Amino acid sequence: MPLSLYKQKRSFHKTPEPTGGNPINDELRFVIQKHAASRLHYDFRLEMRGVLKSWAVPKGPSLNPADKRLAMMVEDHPYDYKNFEGIIPEGNYGAGTVIVWDEGTYTPLEVAGTKAEQEKQLLKQLKAGSIKIKMTGTKLKGEFALVKIKSKEDNAWLLIKHKDRYTKETDVTQKNKSVVSGKTLEKVASSSTNIYGKKDAREKTSPSNKSATLKSKAATATKSAGKKTEHKAGVKKPFLKNVQPMLATLVDEPFDEPGWQYEIKWDGYRALAYVSKGKVSLLSRNNKSFDEKFYPIYEELKSWKVDAVVDGEVVVLNKDGLANFGALQNWRSEADGELAFYIFDILWLNGLSLMEEPLAMRRSILKDALPFSDNIRLSENFDTSAAEFLTTAAAMNMEGIMAKKADSVYTPGARSRAWLKIKAQKRHEVVIGGYTVNDGSAKHFSSLLVGVHENGGLRYIGKIGTGFSDKLQKEILAKMKALQVKKPPFSTVPDVEKPSRFRPNPPKAAVVWLNPKLVCEVSYAELTEDGVMRHPSFEGLREDKKASEVVQERAAPV
């Protein structure tokens, strides 16, 4: 079914629905949209050859192979429809509220190869009336089949779950929130704008309506944060400058509690972006400029049509879409990895300071106000159990997760209990106070001697001897040579040749002491009783933190 049928049914000056769009990656995408039209149903959409092949599923998908759900094939939808969430105004085809109930990637069961080869096979299956796929989504995972019913009308199919490890008898449609916005249909319907900032076509864009929109958002966010009174949206204030980012408190375990939101803890450099009248500054948490280092993000921020101050994390993503901290420090161009700026908060927008507004409202405004893209992305909230989320993060080798109170205000420079970080791995920032060179070693250096600030001095916390490539060692050594000093910076001088049960006969080592200015990230197995790291491994230098800020971080009890 060509897109001409889709366009014939819609008046795009009256509806916010997309008109086109082209795929931008080499994976096939799917989306399932929950649609409260004249009758509630679920729209099941599979990307094929640049459009979304679509089926309306009245009862929604099931994870139980015993359930054979009727799926009526409808007209093809444009690729960009996979992102659509909002309100189709009354009087238009399909009028009602839409949320992105689930999304992800999929592949044909029996065919690997390139995306084009997979699509060729899928189109054959579509023509034959039997599509077998494997889905990787948030709510739907595993094998599914779409089978055409030959005895019924031409567009009648069945959606069936194959028996596999994702099979469940529980009703998956009870999970009723959007995987994009975290909102239910009712919450989206109560708002006058959708999360992509497109207004209901019936709404006039006068200043009074704009004010009413912000107040509506404030009321919705305040209600979700547990308050009963309407909260005014923003306070008129001059453009913000040199804001110290709000910090999170490390806690010892995950928890599930009403009124909290959960996000990924990105493994990158914290950054605040200041955009005003086309002028842009991208600054680290210690106000160091990232404008040149991360130039693609800087250049894209210059194209924004809004004035804003936003908080986020700059990361480099590997081929699996996971943050690679080691690649970030040496990033020079796209050849070094995919650069992305994940934004999770907005502090100021078009003359209004939002720092005193509840987080839930700031997040709602953030989603509406900014033009997200491949380089600049929204850091999503996740509707899941915190323990399950942390387990998944650990399995994917992520650093951990964040928990934030939905009603929390933004407190610059403060380490708050309203924002909590829960680590999936043992990681720590440390200060480099020296390095060793072992007799007969061909390496640039053998290990780094590191510590943390404590009681006015630098306490030795371990010796890092792994995690370096030859190229990385050379780059670190060049930075360290400018910092050489004669006296050790540590409160207690470490005995670097001390035997242990792991190295009973350590080689003789020459020690070079350093002015403790360089900060690095290290992973480790555990801390000994005297506070020294066991099996530490170098993860990367941190250019976004001052050495004076690095202290022993101990997890507080939840």
Side-chain angles (χ1 to χ4, degrees):
M1 298 182 187
L3 284 182
S4 56
L5 183 57
Y6 168 86
K7 292 177 179 178
Q8 286 171 17
K9 292 183 175 184
R10 289 160 178 84
S11 299
F12 293 107
H13 64 286
K14 297 180 181 179
T15 177
E17 294 167 280
T19 59
N22 295 305
I24 55 175
N25 54 47
D26 57 2
E27 289 185 297
L28 290 167
R29 307 290 304 183
F30 80 86
V31 66
I32 301 170
Q33 284 154 318
K34 190 174 180 181
H35 188 176
S38 55
R39 291 185 179 181
L40 179 68
H41 65 277
Y42 294 75
D43 292 311
F44 188 95
R45 310 191 196 279
L46 301 176
E47 176 197 345
M48 291 186 205
R49 293 282 170 87
V51 298
L52 300 175
K53 299 295 180 182
S54 299
W55 291 259
V57 185
K59 291 186 176 181
S62 172
L63 297 178
N64 187 348
D67 295 333
K68 295 175 173 59
R69 295 291 169 84
L70 179 66
M72 302 299 291
M73 194 170 190
V74 298
E75 72 274 12
D76 291 349
H77 281 52
Y79 181 78
D80 281 355
Y81 210 98
K82 70 182 179 60
N83 299 322
F84 177 66
E85 182 165 302
I87 301 170
I88 302 172
E90 290 292 335
N92 289 271
Y93 178 78
T97 308
V98 178
I99 62 170
V100 179
W101 183 81
D102 197 17
E103 65 173 355
T105 60
Y106 83 100
T107 57
L109 267 189
E110 300 165 0
V111 178
T114 65
K115 183 176 180 179
E117 290 168 339
Q118 292 179 33
E119 287 176 311
K120 183 178 180 180
Q121 180 61 30
L122 285 164
L123 289 169
K124 284 183 179 179
Q125 292 182 12
L126 179 68
K127 187 176 181 179
S130 178
I131 302 172
K132 296 176 182 179
I133 59 176
K134 182 177 181 180
M135 303 176 70
T136 305
T138 301
K139 297 171 183 173
L140 296 193
K141 294 181 174 66
E143 298 179 8
F144 287 80
L146 276 162
V147 182
K148 195 170 185 180
I149 306 174
K150 295 181 181 178
S151 60
K152 294 245 181 181
E153 54 249 78
D154 191 50
N155 64 336
W157 296 60
L158 293 176
L159 176 63
I160 307 167
K161 176 79 180 80
H162 282 184
K163 190 173 182 180
D164 58 22
R165 66 192 181 98
Y166 299 107
T167 298
K168 291 182 181 178
E169 293 186 4
T170 54
D171 184 1
V172 71
T173 63
Q174 292 300 307
K175 296 182 176 181
N176 64 347
K177 292 182 179 179
S178 162
V179 295
V180 171
S181 66
K183 295 180 180 179
T184 61
L185 280 170
E186 293 74 20
K187 282 190 177 181
V188 171
S190 68
S191 174
S192 60
T193 63
N194 66 44
I195 67 165
Y196 298 97
K198 291 186 177 181
K199 295 182 181 292
D200 186 311
R202 297 166 297 176
E203 181 184 347
K204 295 179 181 179
T205 56
S206 67
S208 60
N209 272 331
K210 184 176 180 181
S211 175
T213 296
L214 285 174
K215 287 183 178 179
S216 172
K217 287 182 175 297
T220 302
T222 302
K223 183 178 178 182
S224 68
K227 297 183 180 179
K228 295 182 180 179
T229 57
E230 184 173 277
H231 199 105
K232 185 182 177 183
V235 177
K236 189 173 182 179
K237 281 191 177 179
F239 187 69
L240 301 178
K241 294 181 180 179
N242 300 329
V243 178
Q244 291 297 308
M246 182 171 172
L247 304 176
T249 298
L250 177 67
V251 294
D252 57 357
E253 60 182 355
F255 62 95
D256 292 307
E257 192 75 23
W260 287 79
Q261 301 180 355
Y262 300 98
E263 303 172 26
I264 291 171
K265 186 180 189 305
W266 294 105
D267 197 3
Y269 287 166
R270 185 80 174 271
L272 275 79
Y274 301 81
V275 183
S276 177
K277 296 179 176 60
K279 294 182 179 180
V280 172
S281 292
L282 185 64
L283 301 179
S284 74
R285 57 180 286 180
N286 58 346
N287 285 324
K288 179 178 179 180
S289 176
F290 283 152
D291 294 353
E292 292 186 11
K293 183 173 179 64
F294 302 128
Y295 58 88
I297 294 171
Y298 171 74
E299 291 297 330
E300 188 161 333
L301 288 168
K302 287 168 69 176
S303 69
W304 278 12
K305 305 301 182 186
V306 297
D307 294 342
V309 178
V310 296
D311 191 359
E313 194 100 356
V314 178
V315 299
V316 168
L317 304 173
N318 63 19
K319 59 182 178 61
D320 298 317
L322 301 176
N324 182 341
F325 182 76
L328 181 64
Q329 134 190 2
N330 294 311
W331 192 90
R332 296 292 181 273
S333 68
E334 290 298 328
D336 298 320
E338 184 181 359
L339 190 69
F341 182 31
Y342 276 98
I343 298 175
F344 47 71
D345 214 329
I346 184 164
L347 316 186
W348 188 93
L349 177 66
N350 295 335
L352 296 175
S353 171
L354 303 172
M355 291 194 290
E356 293 299 318
E357 310 307 327
L359 174 65
M361 195 190 80
R362 297 199 308 272
R363 292 277 304 178
S364 178
I365 293 173
L366 173 66
K367 291 170 185 174
D368 282 346
L370 303 186
F372 294 109
S373 64
D374 283 350
N375 281 336
I376 301 177
R377 308 182 182 191
L378 175 68
S379 181
E380 298 285 1
N381 289 337
F382 287 84
D383 177 22
T384 183
S385 154
E388 185 179 312
F389 190 17
L390 185 65
T391 300
T392 303
M396 296 177 71
N397 204 31
M398 291 180 172
E399 188 181 358
I401 65 174
M402 299 292 299
K404 298 178 180 179
K405 288 197 73 173
D407 64 354
S408 61
V409 299
Y410 194 96
T411 51
R415 190 170 295 281
S416 172
R417 291 282 303 199
W419 286 15
L420 304 176
K421 53 186 174 181
I422 311 162
K423 292 191 176 182
Q425 309 171 26
K426 288 186 171 65
R427 297 273 290 264
H428 211 295
E429 292 141 15
V430 291
V431 180
I432 303 173
Y435 64 92
T436 66
V437 181
N438 292 346
D439 281 355
S441 173
K443 296 181 179 179
H444 300 287
F445 57 85
S446 302
S447 63
L448 299 177
L449 307 176
V450 299
V452 292
H453 287 284
E454 187 175 277
N455 298 326
L458 188 67
R459 179 172 67 82
Y460 176 72
I461 196 174
K463 180 168 61 173
I464 310 171
T466 61
F468 314 101
S469 65
D470 185 72
K471 179 184 176 184
L472 184 57
Q473 275 207 333
K474 189 175 181 181
E475 291 173 355
I476 295 171
L477 186 62
K479 293 178 182 291
M480 294 193 297
K481 280 187 173 179
L483 298 173
Q484 291 181 11
V485 294
K486 293 182 179 180
K487 294 183 179 180
F490 298 102
S491 305
T492 302
V493 181
D495 186 353
V496 297
E497 296 183 359
K498 183 180 179 181
S500 70
R501 63 190 180 95
F502 304 105
R503 301 189 77 189
N505 298 302
K508 290 195 174 186
V511 181
V512 179
W513 302 116
L514 301 175
N515 187 356
K517 297 291 185 183
L518 290 177
V519 178
C520 70
E521 185 101 0
V522 60
S523 58
Y524 60 96
E526 61 181 359
L527 290 176
T528 64
E529 290 184 1
D530 54 353
V532 174
M533 295 181 293
R534 284 190 58 202
H535 307 307
S537 179
F538 183 84
E539 296 291 341
L541 289 176
R542 294 216 69 114
E543 299 178 16
D544 58 334
K545 293 191 178 180
K546 295 178 181 177
S548 59
E549 297 175 351
V550 178
V551 297
Q552 181 76 57
E553 191 173 36
R554 294 178 174 85
V558 170

